[in-house]
Amino acid sequence: MSLPPFSCRFLAAAVTLYLIGLLCVGADTKDVTVPNIPGCSNEFQMVKVENWVNGENGETFTAMTAQFGTMLPSDKDKAVKLPVALTTPLDSCSNLTSKLSGSIALSLRGECAFTAKAEVAQAGGAAALVLINDKEELDEMVCGEKDTSLNISIPILMITTSSGDALKKSIMQNKKVELLLYAPKSPILDYAVVFLWLMSVGTVFVASVWSHFTSPKKNDEQYDELSPKKSSNDDATKGGAEEETLDISAMGAVIFVISASTFLVLLFFFMSSWFILILTIFFCIGGMQGMHNIITTLITRRCNKCGQKNVKLPLLGNTSILSLVVLLFCFVVAILWFMKRKTSYAWAGQDIFGICMMINVLQVARLPNIRVATILLCCAFFYDIFWVFLSPLIFKQSVMIAVARGSKDTGESIPMLLRIPRLSDPWGGYNMIGFGDILFPGLLICFIFRYDKENNKGVSNGYFPWLMFGYGLGLFLTYLGLYVMNGHGQPALLYLVPCTLGITVILGLVRRELRDLWNYGTQQPSAADVNPSPEA
């Protein structure tokens, strides 16, 4: 079969451009914390607001509590449904003339401070204060430096303009409006991480064994020897395909991690919609190339004659008809995903493209031995720890997690992540794992599989089964750390590197094969190998 319309080397170049922004696990924090001020709770709650108009249940909307005031119950059964009344005056900046005893006060965002509104509403007998914001966002209502002796004993929360206007309109039409306020908590770990774990482990496993199970069978090779001589184009194609690999050097590994840090900082400071759009286009190109190669490989594996029909095209020369058809299909899929990338189901297409791309990248980029693997993974190990845990000391927030979440203004996020919806979280969101947490250990595991195969090691004395177990264990420890750290984003390589590289080194020492693993592929042939003695 002829080469695809664009070469795997272009894939390697395009993928490298955005893989230097490799990300770790990004976990949504549940609460927003601010500096400690006496009289303030230092914690914001996201609130579910259920409403009834004349007894008819309306659409539930979202609100956010203030930094001051009492907390709302997290259990819906413990919440109390109360009537709503407009304040007079509407901005609640002066003494109220309306009767609010036992009701929820509905007020507009006015000129005075949030704390002043809360004190006025509480003095008027309100059971809670709901402020209507002047825009379709929820702003943080914080304490001032002088608010050191607040005594607010009612919940204070804010809703968006559209939600507030609908409630205000119903009240002004003399309709009975009632609200039920509660703040359900997000689970630290969602059971959907099991599927994310399976996707990650499965991607590494498939990428490792891909070339072994998709290479021509011996029977096919014997048949090829008996078949008519292949053309020079076919020989060139075969030779080109064999050369489509890139061995990572020790210096390249260091430069790669330094470039990754630089690119990550650029993403952090220039997280604009056009920048993310460029990265998304590169993601589509890489995903399309990966899907194309996987589909054509699987089809030709089942039907060897399917890829033999060629067509001559301008600029491309002789190209397989199968390759063109599959390329067109992948292009249509990429365009559809790009147009629908902000929908609730776009994560599925993103994961498919990402998995195809990573499998393909792990066939192109290779580690030659454990020496280079140690340099690359140790650099990535400290890279991950610095940008997750230490970067807040410099940039006031975790650079890695901020980049993983994307831009709040445009709703765009970088696509170099595997995502799956949080199935048990009332607030939605996604569980995520970065490509780097799959590709970095995947390079080592792919090398180990090749080492086992070339040295005829079976399951019992091989390294590959142990490293697959170690990778799965490392991911499990990552999510365990996420639970222990109360949902704070974790650098997955902190756990994955010891569980993969560490296991390799320990097994190599025990089996006395570490020297061979360390210098694999670099040993000079002995004199006996170069000039073998004649047989007696």
Side-chain angles (χ1 to χ4, degrees):
M1 186 183 72
S2 62
L3 284 174
F6 42 93
S7 168
C8 286
R9 293 194 183 279
F10 176 76
L11 162 72
V15 167
T16 302
L17 287 175
Y18 56 80
L19 285 185
I20 42 184
L22 294 169
L23 303 174
C24 71
V25 172
D28 293 334
T29 52
K30 308 305 180 296
D31 301 307
V32 181
T33 56
V34 292
N36 186 23
I37 298 176
C40 298
S41 67
N42 299 324
E43 184 174 322
F44 298 99
Q45 289 180 299
M46 295 303 297
V47 181
K48 294 279 188 182
V49 181
E50 296 188 12
N51 67 94
W52 288 263
V53 177
N54 287 340
E56 184 177 349
N57 196 356
E59 183 179 355
T60 301
F61 51 87
T62 302
M64 184 170 67
T65 61
Q67 187 188 2
F68 48 90
T70 59
M71 307 289 285
L72 288 168
S74 58
D75 192 348
K76 180 180 177 180
D77 296 334
K78 296 180 179 179
V80 180
K81 183 166 63 174
L82 296 172
V84 184
L86 286 173
T87 59
T88 306
L90 279 176
D91 59 6
S92 299
C93 288
S94 58
N95 293 333
L96 302 179
T97 59
S98 55
K99 296 181 180 180
L100 299 174
S101 180
S103 300
I104 296 175
L106 185 64
S107 174
L108 298 178
R109 180 173 183 171
E111 298 298 328
C112 59
F114 295 124
T115 52
K117 295 175 182 291
E119 289 175 336
V120 169
Q122 181 172 278
L129 173 63
V130 176
L131 293 176
I132 304 174
N133 201 8
D134 54 6
K135 53 186 175 181
E136 284 299 308
E137 294 178 7
L138 298 175
D139 293 333
E140 297 175 358
M141 295 183 288
V142 300
C143 298
E145 295 182 358
K146 298 180 180 179
D147 298 323
T148 58
S149 58
L150 285 176
N151 186 22
I152 306 299
S153 59
I154 61 173
I156 312 297
L157 55 149
M158 177 179 288
I159 59 177
T160 61
T161 299
S162 58
S163 300
D165 288 346
L167 295 178
K168 185 175 68 172
K169 181 178 179 181
S170 298
I171 295 174
M172 295 181 69
Q173 293 175 350
N174 295 322
K175 296 180 180 179
K176 182 182 179 181
V177 178
E178 298 172 295
L179 296 182
L180 181 70
L181 311 174
Y182 64 101
K185 294 182 178 180
S186 297
I188 296 175
L189 280 182
D190 182 84
Y191 60 83
V193 297
V194 175
F195 300 101
L196 196 63
W197 184 93
L198 290 173
M199 282 196 297
S200 303
V201 174
T203 300
V204 172
F205 177 81
V206 172
S208 301
V209 304
W210 180 262
S211 59
H212 174 69
F213 285 99
T214 57
S215 59
K217 296 180 180 179
K218 292 183 178 180
N219 293 337
D220 295 337
E221 293 173 353
Q222 294 173 358
Y223 175 79
D224 290 340
E225 293 176 358
L226 298 175
S227 62
K229 195 178 217 179
K230 296 182 181 179
S231 64
S232 59
N233 290 338
D234 292 337
D235 292 337
T237 297
K238 182 178 179 181
E242 291 175 352
E243 294 175 358
E244 292 295 341
T245 58
L246 174 66
D247 283 341
I248 301 173
S249 64
M251 181 60 69
V254 176
I255 294 175
F256 182 83
V257 174
I258 294 174
S259 302
S261 297
T262 304
F263 193 69
L264 196 65
V265 173
L266 290 175
L267 279 173
F268 179 73
F269 283 110
F270 302 101
M271 183 68 73
S272 60
S273 57
W274 66 267
F275 198 6
I276 298 179
L277 184 63
I278 293 175
L279 293 175
T280 304
I281 292 173
F282 274 111
F283 173 78
C284 289
I285 295 173
M288 186 170 62
Q289 173 72 53
M291 180 180 287
H292 174 273
N293 286 348
I294 288 176
I295 293 176
T296 52
T297 300
L298 292 176
I299 292 177
T300 53
R301 173 70 176 169
R302 299 286 296 180
C303 177
N304 192 35
K305 297 181 179 180
C306 294
Q308 295 180 356
K309 295 182 179 180
N310 295 344
V311 61
K312 190 172 184 179
L313 296 176
L315 301 178
L316 299 178
N318 288 330
T319 305
S320 167
I321 295 177
L322 172 65
S323 179
L324 285 177
V325 172
V326 174
L327 177 62
L328 179 61
F329 168 77
C330 295
F331 180 76
V332 171
V333 173
I335 293 297
L336 290 176
W337 178 83
F338 183 83
M339 295 174 61
K340 300 290 184 179
R341 67 187 185 278
K342 293 185 180 181
T343 59
S344 59
Y345 52 84
W347 63 270
Q350 178 175 326
D351 290 350
I352 293 172
F353 266 18
I355 290 172
C356 291
M357 187 209 68
M358 285 187 287
I359 291 174
N360 211 28
V361 168
L362 289 174
Q363 309 309 305
V364 175
R366 293 185 175 185
L367 292 175
N369 47 50
I370 294 301
R371 179 175 60 86
V372 178
T374 301
I375 295 172
L376 177 64
L377 290 178
C378 286
C379 289
F381 177 83
F382 292 108
Y383 159 89
D384 227 5
I385 293 175
F386 176 82
W387 289 113
V388 175
F389 285 153
L390 301 181
S391 61
L393 301 178
I394 302 174
F395 300 95
K396 308 301 181 183
Q397 60 177 313
S398 173
V399 173
M400 190 81 78
I401 297 175
V403 172
R405 291 177 180 171
S407 174
K408 292 182 179 180
D409 298 331
T410 62
E412 293 272 11
S413 60
I414 59 174
M416 286 80 78
L417 296 158
L418 293 186
R419 300 192 304 164
I420 193 167
R422 297 173 64 89
L423 302 177
S424 61
D425 193 336
W427 299 107
Y430 294 89
N431 298 295
M432 300 179 291
I433 185 169
F435 286 178
D437 301 330
I438 298 174
L439 288 173
F440 277 134
L443 287 169
L444 171 62
I445 297 173
C446 287
F447 162 74
I448 286 298
F449 180 83
R450 295 196 308 273
Y451 177 84
D452 285 355
K453 180 183 176 184
E454 292 169 4
N455 291 274
N456 297 320
K457 291 183 175 293
V459 176
S460 59
N461 63 344
Y463 291 84
F464 178 70
W466 286 98
L467 260 67
M468 284 304 308
F469 169 78
Y471 182 76
L473 176 63
L475 274 186
F476 171 78
L477 294 177
T478 301
Y479 291 113
L480 181 62
L482 192 67
Y483 177 80
V484 173
M485 295 291 289
N486 195 31
H488 189 279
Q490 292 294 295
L493 294 178
L494 173 66
Y495 309 93
L496 291 172
V497 171
C499 289
T500 52
L501 182 62
I503 288 178
T504 306
V505 172
I506 292 173
L507 283 178
L509 287 172
V510 171
R511 297 173 178 178
R512 299 182 179 181
E513 297 174 338
L514 183 59
R515 182 182 297 274
D516 183 43
L517 287 166
W518 188 264
N519 299 310
Y520 193 75
T522 62
Q523 297 98 328
Q524 296 296 326
S526 63
D529 294 331
V530 176
N531 300 308
S533 59
E535 296 181 1

